[in-house]
Amino acid sequence: MKRKDILTPIGIFLGLTMVLFGIYTNGGFGGVSSFVQASSILVVLGGLLGAILINFSLKDLKLTLRVFKEAFNTESYDLKELIRLFVGLSEKARREGLLALENEVDEVEDPYIRKGVLLAIDGIEPEVINDIMNAEIVAMEERHQRGRAIFQKAGEYAPAWGMIGTLIGLVLMLNNLSNPETIGPSMAVALLTTFYGTLLANLVFNPLAGKLENKTDEEIFLKQVVIEGVIGVQSGQNPKILEEKLSAFLSNEERNDLEKDEEEDVEEEQQFAGESVNGL
């Protein structure tokens, strides 16, 4: 289930706010305005855009907006619920057979889980299921890598174009040392382009690429849990053994929470059974 990831915009806003606050406390509004230089912005953004267009194909560029949106979304996964799902499927498969899981598959929203369970129902060998589902992980990882490559490259190019702007400003300044009025604007271009390039790289592009990479790692981790669960169901593992196996993916805190939930479920079942007996 996707929801908005507020940490990404908060992080960008907080970083930019702290930079502006630092400038304002030392120079007031005049200090802030002195950091706005149109020519510096054009050098960095124009050069950066040109480098990106050279480096990537049109197909890759079309992915940029969609990938950018992904950095502001987060997928809510509950690993404990995932384990309960496979334990339930294992129990039903052992009681009624794998074909009985066809009705359960329709209620599963995640297409990757659904695909794995359908492969198990079809009687595919565990090794083959493992190969098929791992191949999908590899393909997903490659797609994600291509998607975030633009942000990674932008993080590399932005400081470089800032330095190019600095060289432009220094050349202009050195060519006009006889005219003191041009030294200030030339130095502004020289210093501000480096500032803009470094700020974009370290507050926007590199953090976004890192966020996307972390999301990929998390998705791969969860898919590995799914593979173990599907193979456990297909091979007819004891539900308790399967639960112990999948619990290895949990942290100690999550494992304790899962055990507490199970104890509460047992107590509720015992209480319900006792009330039923008393009712009779």
Side-chain angles (χ1 to χ4, degrees):
M1 183 179 183
K2 286 189 176 182
R3 54 187 175 84
K4 293 296 182 183
D5 181 6
I6 62 172
L7 293 180
T8 300
I10 287 177
I12 294 174
F13 175 77
L14 181 62
L16 187 58
T17 300
M18 291 299 99
V19 170
L20 292 175
F21 179 75
I23 295 171
Y24 175 76
T25 54
N26 286 280
F29 288 108
V32 174
S33 63
S34 65
F35 274 78
V36 179
Q37 174 61 251
S39 58
S40 297
I41 295 173
L42 289 175
V43 168
V44 174
L45 294 183
L48 179 60
L49 179 59
I52 292 295
L53 291 175
I54 294 170
N55 200 107
F56 294 95
S57 66
L58 183 61
K59 182 179 179 181
D60 293 330
L61 293 173
K62 288 180 179 178
L63 291 173
T64 305
L65 182 59
R66 182 160 61 88
V67 173
F68 181 76
K69 289 180 180 178
E70 285 299 316
F72 292 85
N73 293 321
T74 185
E75 195 83 19
S76 58
Y77 290 102
D78 190 336
L79 200 52
K80 293 180 293 182
E81 286 298 323
L82 188 61
I83 292 174
R84 291 193 188 98
L85 169 65
F86 282 110
V87 170
L89 292 175
S90 178
E91 291 173 347
K92 185 163 187 175
R94 283 171 65 89
R95 288 196 313 266
E96 306 174 28
L98 286 172
L99 292 177
L101 300 181
E102 289 184 344
N103 295 331
E104 302 290 333
V105 172
D106 296 334
E107 300 177 3
V108 177
E109 296 181 1
D110 192 302
Y112 190 74
I113 299 175
R114 190 162 56 247
K115 178 180 180 178
V117 176
L118 288 173
L119 288 172
I121 293 173
D122 290 339
I124 307 297
E125 292 296 324
E127 296 80 6
V128 179
I129 292 177
N130 186 67
D131 290 342
I132 292 173
M133 300 188 74
N134 270 306
E136 188 164 330
I137 290 178
V138 171
M140 177 207 72
E141 191 173 9
E142 290 179 353
R143 289 195 306 270
H144 288 194
Q145 196 281 328
R146 290 201 308 271
R148 68 174 181 268
I150 291 180
F151 297 101
Q152 292 172 334
K153 284 297 181 182
E156 295 175 12
Y157 292 150
W161 278 100
M163 288 302 299
I164 290 172
T166 297
L167 294 175
I168 293 172
L170 290 175
V171 169
L172 293 173
M173 183 186 67
L174 292 174
N175 284 334
N176 294 278
L177 285 178
S178 59
N179 187 358
E181 294 181 358
T182 63
I183 294 177
S186 299
M187 280 298 296
V189 173
L191 297 177
L192 286 178
T193 48
T194 298
F195 170 75
Y196 290 143
T198 305
L199 184 66
L200 285 172
N202 293 286
L203 185 59
V204 180
F205 298 128
N206 288 334
L208 286 179
K211 168 70 71 108
L212 293 169
E213 186 174 5
N214 290 337
K215 287 166 66 69
T216 299
D217 291 341
E218 182 181 0
E219 193 168 347
I220 291 173
F221 176 77
L222 290 166
K223 288 184 183 299
Q224 289 172 341
V225 178
V226 171
I227 291 174
E228 292 295 332
V230 168
I231 293 176
V233 170
Q234 196 276 344
S235 59
Q237 280 186 358
N238 183 290
K240 190 62 180 175
I241 294 176
L242 179 60
E243 182 180 8
E244 289 296 326
K245 186 176 182 180
L246 296 180
S247 295
F249 291 94
L250 295 172
S251 65
N252 290 333
E253 183 180 354
E254 290 173 326
R255 199 175 301 177
N256 292 334
D257 290 341
L258 181 62
E259 291 174 356
K260 288 180 182 178
D261 292 342
E262 289 177 351
E263 291 174 359
E264 291 176 359
D265 291 340
V266 171
E267 290 176 359
E268 289 179 0
E269 290 178 0
Q270 292 175 346
Q271 183 179 0
F272 178 76
E275 292 177 352
S276 299
V277 171
N278 293 333
L280 292 175

